[in-house]
Amino acid sequence: MEQQPGVDAGGGIVDTVITGQAMMDHAGDLSVMSLFLEADMIVKIVMILLALASIWSWAIIFEKLMRFRRMRTLASRFEDAFWSGGSLEDLYGRIGQYPADPMSSIFSAAMREWERSAARVTSGSAAFLQQRIERVMQLTMNREIDKLERYLPFLASVGSAAPFVGLFGTVWGIMNSFSSIAASNQTSLAVVAPGIAEALFATALGLVAAIPATLAYNKLSADLGRYAGRLESFAGEFAAIISRQLDERS
């Protein structure tokens, strides 16, 4: 009977050592997968949403970069052909009804309107034909710019909202971590560290999604603005050429 308390005390010491070792093992395992698996369900949902937003953002970034590069290359080729001194009708025939880039689309739309009305143009209707052609080029340019702008607002949304979504996951995770600490009456670093790390991981994911999206949105918006200016310059120059031809016919 006198040895029983000693046995109990020894068992309690062993249990305490085992529990402490388990906490230390858990605290030492702070890999990305461990942080995700050990997180609260709400925090997991936040992490998944941020990861998907980051993946989709990178897909948009690569697609836009390659597309803008291709558009600039095709525009340079078209401008070389346009200013080569050849016949515009022959160039229109080579491009066809389905041009490959926005600048060719503007040219094709203007030439299509020109061929429909130029044969019966008079001195009184020349100004109206000029306005129609300019209007057709403007509408075509707006439509092509809208196509190039597609999905750019998503990058802007991710860049502005992802840090706050990650912060929400962090706040939620820290709240749950403190609740667990209060329930277990354990305040050691081994107990606190994993929950805090899991919560802060959500903020890190928010920044990982937001920073590339913001930088890419700014670059792509600047590239699109320069390309739109290039299209406007071509439309203005082509309108001037059409105006001269109309004056000659009148």
Side-chain angles (χ1 to χ4, degrees), residues 101-121:
D101 65 291
M103 189 172 289
S104 299
S105 298
I106 294 173
F107 170 77
S108 180
M111 289 298 296
R112 186 163 52 247
E113 186 65 27
W114 169 266
E115 290 187 346
R116 288 174 180 173
S117 307
R120 54 181 183 274
V121 67

Side-chain angles (χ1 to χ4, degrees), residues 10-102:
I13 292 173
V14 172
D15 293 340
T16 302
V17 172
I18 293 175
T19 303
Q21 184 64 38
M23 291 179 178
M24 292 177 64
D25 292 341
H26 177 65
D29 186 11
L30 296 179
S31 63
V32 172
M33 185 57 65
S34 176
L35 292 175
F36 173 77
L37 294 176
E38 297 296 333
D40 180 77
M41 181 57 65
I42 299 297
V43 181
K44 284 182 180 178
I45 294 175
V46 170
M47 291 180 181
I48 292 173
L49 291 176
L50 291 173
L52 292 176
S54 180
I55 294 172
W56 184 239
S57 296
W58 279 108
I60 294 172
I61 291 169
F62 284 121
E63 191 273 335
K64 292 297 181 185
L65 289 175
M66 292 186 293
R67 186 173 185 183
F68 283 5
R69 179 181 298 178
R70 181 172 178 269
M71 293 299 100
R72 288 192 296 267
T73 301
L74 292 176
S76 297
R77 293 178 183 174
F78 173 80
E79 287 177 331
D80 292 340
F82 182 82
W83 297 109
S84 64
S87 172
L88 295 181
E89 285 75 12
D90 292 341
L91 179 59
Y92 175 59
R94 293 198 303 269
I95 292 175
Q97 298 295 323
Y98 302 100
D101 65 291

